[in-house]
Amino acid sequence: MTGTAAPTPASADLIARLAADPAASFALIVREGGEVVEVLSGPVTDVDLLADIPLADGRGRPSEVLALVPYRQVRERGFAAHDDGAPLRCLTVEEHAAIPLAEALDALPSAAIPLADAGFDLDDAEYAAIVRNVIAEEIGRGEGANFVIRRDFVAGVDAEPRTAALTWFRALLEHERGAYWTFAIVTPGHVAVGASPEAHVSAREGVVTMNPISGTFRHPAGGATAETLTEFLSSTKETEELFMVVDEELKMMSAVCSDGGRITGPHLKEMSRLTHTEYVLRGRSRLDPRDILRETMFAPTVTGSPMQNACAVIRRHEQSPRGYYSGVAALFTPNAEGGHDLDAPILIRTAYLEEGRLRVPVGATLVRHSDPYGEVSETHGKAAGVLGAIGAIPRAITIVPDDDEPAPAPRLGDDPAIAELLTSRNARLAPFWMQEQEPGARTAPFAGRKAIVVDAEDRFTTMLAHQLRHLGLDVDIVHWSAADDARLDGAELVVSGPGPGDPRDGESPRIARMRELVVRRLAQHRPLLAVCLSHQILSDRIGVGLAPLASPHQGLQLSVDLFGETASIGFYNTFTARVTPGVTVLTPSETRCGAVGDVEIAADPASGDVYALRGAGFASVQGHLESILSRDGMRTLERMVGHALS
């Protein structure tokens, strides 16, 4: 359990008293592996900003607070969202009690709650059409690597909300397994009951943990087996989907943790109807937990990447606001150091009840490989655990042996062949992110040198900056809109960063500004490293043509020749610079910008797709050297920076 304050023992009568009091606000929580139901009760306050969460009382004494953070809160980061007015709701805990799980179950109601007019707000064909549009119009246009688009299961509920909340909470405890939190939260006019598999972020004793879960295996009739799970774990789509969300959460970790974060895993998250794959990310941070929460809003597993564009895509393609779906329930608990620990599961696999209407939102992660009706099936599978528990669909069948004791479900993650298959995934990943990153272990070939990384709205820049610091550079990150010429002119090295979109877009102020700074730096003959989008902009400037790829390289790992060294690099691009196959050097007479001198080209020998460029004082690379998919990323980054600074 997070925090040092232990809940006080209590009897199941407490639940009955809270349920009978129409003015009481309360939460019931069972954490993963827990044997008690935690009961939190107290007054509720709605606030505007995460910084306003009241972590102290009127006398300055620390308070325990459970906050329901809606999706619309991403506006604090300047991101787009439908504004439905869902409040940032804070329950200040005046009583925190613990009831043995078995005793609490006996006290909870079990009679079925009737539902009326139940079904998805978008039928399967409508949702499949949205999937096709997102793949073609967003991923196909370079707006990002993956996006999560939701639809809602809705129904009418003619039952007392508190009774419904307690009934569904009991049903989830009895019929769902593997949840990080199983919970019921009852506040004025609003009920949330769920079994969330995913811890978004926690902070305890200076250690920040994130837990990206992705890849969804829907159990076949009769249950999952090692054979059927092996087929799932061998899927390229499911594997790349997990790698992409790990990359996205590492961006967040690099923003809040001084050591950038370390990956462990992968593991299995086994539930009643689904099995997921997951990694655990850990790093150290001294930030206020509210700031940690702000910088990590919200998980790419329920939004997409890059995060800012994912929010814009969600707003374009989802037909209604999200409410609390993909937000978090954040419990801030006072600790012995005078601060607060944080435990914040994602609000997914959750049923919401307001004004007699039930809503269960579910989403699928759309990637370049996605099959529209496969994603339709994924939404059904994700909804099934909650819907089965509350009786909206038939429950999963439990096999009962002759002695009438429920058969314990075997943990497939304990199967040696499955464990070996999971571990084998790490052979593809960058060792840098799998190892401890203590400052004393850093290599420092560029110690004392200074660099500015220009953020073109892809927070891969935070990972890139972290790696540059490990090479000894003193690094600042500057958003493209704040990257003034005077500041950039004073930098020893400018790293023009990656970002979404079409590098040929003449209407985008962001791309226009990135083009200006690349051109200016080249004209000054000052050290420049250009990455991904900026590599394409630089290529265009010197006269190398740009073209869309026939199939986007979003989350694709390639082994490429970069100026005489073979490197395994991760790619996230929809567009490419392209030369005539076999060309390795452009002379000044062949470029649009003769002042740059000779330009060396590393390109695919068959297609002519350009992987990297280098010339006097500059280098560029199409791949993301900072990605977990770039096994040779650090070595290549050192080579590229060394060339630009030489």
Side-chain angles (χ1 to χ4, degrees):
M1 175 182 166
T2 301
T4 57
T8 58
S11 73
D13 291 342
L14 175 60
I15 296 175
R17 292 199 303 272
L18 291 170
D21 182 356
S25 294
F26 62 91
L28 308 179
I29 302 169
V30 175
R31 308 199 207 199
E32 188 172 26
E35 294 298 326
V36 298
V37 175
E38 297 176 55
V39 184
L40 290 65
S41 59
V44 163
T45 306
D46 294 343
V47 299
D48 291 329
L49 302 173
L50 291 173
D52 299 330
I53 294 174
L55 298 187
D57 64 15
R59 298 182 180 180
R61 295 173 301 189
S63 300
E64 185 172 35
V65 177
L66 175 64
L68 280 174
V69 183
Y71 173 73
R72 69 189 282 264
Q73 217 64 33
V74 295
R75 297 177 308 150
E76 284 198 44
R77 293 182 61 188
F79 298 168
H82 290 296
D83 189 359
D84 55 357
L88 172 48
R89 178 152 289 181
C90 301
L91 187 156
T92 299
V93 180
E94 292 185 344
E95 183 175 7
H96 189 158
I99 302 170
L101 181 58
E103 183 181 339
L105 281 170
D106 288 341
L108 292 167
S110 59
I113 303 293
L115 304 179
D117 302 321
F120 280 101
D121 59 344
L122 299 172
D123 65 30
D124 289 355
E126 290 176 294
Y127 187 75
I130 293 173
V131 171
R132 289 190 195 94
N133 288 340
V134 171
I135 295 169
E137 297 175 11
E138 307 293 358
I139 297 175
R141 212 172 57 214
E143 295 301 316
N146 56 86
F147 302 110
V148 179
I149 303 298
R150 83 174 211 289
R151 61 175 178 159
D152 299 344
F153 184 92
V154 294
V157 180
D158 186 15
E160 200 282 319
R162 291 163 184 265
T163 301
L166 297 180
T167 302
W168 294 338
F169 176 65
R170 173 177 177 156
L172 285 169
L173 289 174
E174 290 180 327
H175 298 287
E176 186 55 282
R177 63 170 178 149
Y180 180 70
W181 272 26
T182 303
F183 59 89
I185 303 172
V186 177
T187 61
H190 187 265
V191 163
V193 185
S196 175
E198 188 167 355
H200 174 49
V201 63
S202 65
R204 187 176 185 183
E205 298 178 353
V207 176
V208 176
T209 302
M210 298 184 76
N211 176 212
I213 294 176
S214 193
T216 301
F217 172 57
R218 295 176 292 281
H219 297 175
T225 64
E227 291 73 21
T228 56
L229 184 59
T230 295
E231 183 179 352
F232 160 75
L233 292 176
S234 302
S235 163
T236 299
K237 173 192 177 295
E238 301 294 350
T239 302
E240 291 183 354
E241 188 177 306
L242 178 60
F243 289 162
M244 283 190 277
V245 297
V246 171
D247 258 339
E248 193 68 19
E249 294 207 0
L250 271 173
K251 298 176 188 180
M252 297 175 177
M253 291 290 287
S254 294
V256 300
C257 296
S258 58
D259 59 355
R262 176 176 175 262
I263 304 167
T264 58
H267 312 287
L268 291 183
K269 173 68 71 172
E270 300 180 55
M271 306 191 76
S272 63
R273 295 171 181 261
L274 302 173
T275 293
H276 304 285
T277 46
E278 64 179 355
Y279 277 91
V280 175
L281 283 54
R282 289 190 177 90
R284 302 199 66 84
S285 178
R286 297 181 179 178
L287 293 179
D288 182 295
R290 291 168 294 191
D291 294 331
I292 291 171
L293 189 55
R294 182 184 305 104
E295 288 300 313
T296 60
M297 288 195 301
F298 282 113
T301 52
V302 285
T303 54
S305 63
M307 181 66 195
Q308 183 164 350
N309 256 34
C311 291
V313 168
I314 288 167
R315 186 173 182 178
R316 284 196 288 270
H317 292 273
E318 290 189 354
Q319 300 177 4
S320 61
R322 287 192 161 196
Y324 291 96
Y325 170 71
S326 71
V328 298
L331 182 59
F332 298 87
T333 302
N335 59 31
E337 289 72 43
H340 284 77
D341 293 334
L342 170 66
D343 191 10
I346 302 174
L347 288 170
I348 53 176
R349 318 294 163 80
T350 300
Y352 301 96
L353 181 58
E354 290 183 314
E355 299 179 349
R357 293 294 291 172
L358 168 74
R359 188 171 69 96
V360 181
V362 287
T365 301
L366 314 184
V367 297
R368 58 192 175 91
H369 297 299
S370 286
D371 168 69
Y373 277 95
E375 304 301 351
V376 166
S377 180
E378 181 163 321
T379 62
H380 281 282
K382 287 180 175 177
V386 174
L387 298 181
I390 67 176
I393 62 173
R395 288 174 175 154
I397 296 173
T398 300
I399 300 174
V400 180
D402 293 338
D403 60 4
D404 291 331
E405 288 295 323
R411 287 184 51 83
L412 294 177
D414 295 334
D415 183 287
I418 295 296
E420 183 178 353
L421 184 56
L422 281 168
T423 302
S424 69
R425 290 184 171 191
N426 291 341
R428 296 180 56 187
L429 303 185
F432 179 82
W433 298 108
M434 309 289 291
Q435 300 166 350
E436 295 289 350
Q437 297 174 25
E438 294 299 327
R442 295 181 182 181
T443 58
F446 308 114
R449 313 296 288 270
K450 297 182 182 295
I452 290 178
V453 178
V454 182
D455 178 5
E457 296 182 2
D458 186 338
R459 294 186 81 189
F460 260 130
T461 51
T462 62
M463 294 169 67
L464 186 58
H466 180 68
Q467 289 187 322
L468 290 167
R469 293 184 184 111
H470 272 253
L471 293 175
L473 288 148
D474 181 2
V475 183
D476 289 327
I477 300 175
V478 181
H479 191 265
W480 68 267
S481 62
D484 63 276
D485 288 343
R487 185 174 183 184
L488 295 177
D489 289 350
E492 286 184 79
L493 173 69
V494 167
V495 180
S496 187
D502 185 341
R504 306 164 302 179
D505 185 355
E507 303 298 319
S508 167
R510 173 175 56 87
I511 290 176
R513 178 57 185 145
M514 298 303 289
R515 186 177 295 122
E516 288 173 359
L517 70 88
V518 165
V519 170
R520 183 180 180 89
R521 199 72 181 178
L522 287 175
Q524 294 173 331
H525 301 286
R526 298 275 287 151
L528 170 70
L529 174 63
V531 179
C532 196
L533 174 70
S534 295
H535 158 83
Q536 296 162 6
I537 289 171
L538 184 147
S539 299
D540 179 67
R541 171 59 180 164
I542 65 175
V544 176
L546 302 177
L549 290 162
S551 177
H553 289 174
Q554 297 291 351
L556 182 67
Q557 186 180 56
L558 296 175
S559 182
V560 298
D561 186 317
L562 297 181
F563 309 114
E565 281 193 18
T566 300
S568 178
I569 303 296
F571 288 78
Y572 284 86
N573 61 302
T574 299
F575 296 86
T576 185
R578 186 171 287 156
V579 295
T580 302
V583 171
T584 58
V585 176
L586 286 179
T587 64
S589 63
E590 297 172 308
T591 68
R592 189 181 300 150
C593 182
V596 300
D598 287 349
V599 179
E600 293 181 83
I601 297 173
D604 185 276
S607 67
D609 292 352
V610 178
Y611 298 134
L613 300 170
R614 64 184 185 186
F618 71 87
S620 71
V621 62
Q622 177 60 74
H624 284 264
L625 306 181
E626 67 281 8
S627 167
I628 62 165
L629 291 170
S630 292
R631 280 192 51 79
D632 301 306
M634 279 297 285
R635 164 62 184 160
T636 305
L637 181 62
E638 183 176 345
R639 291 178 66 208
M640 293 293 186
V641 170
H643 178 87
L645 287 172
S646 63

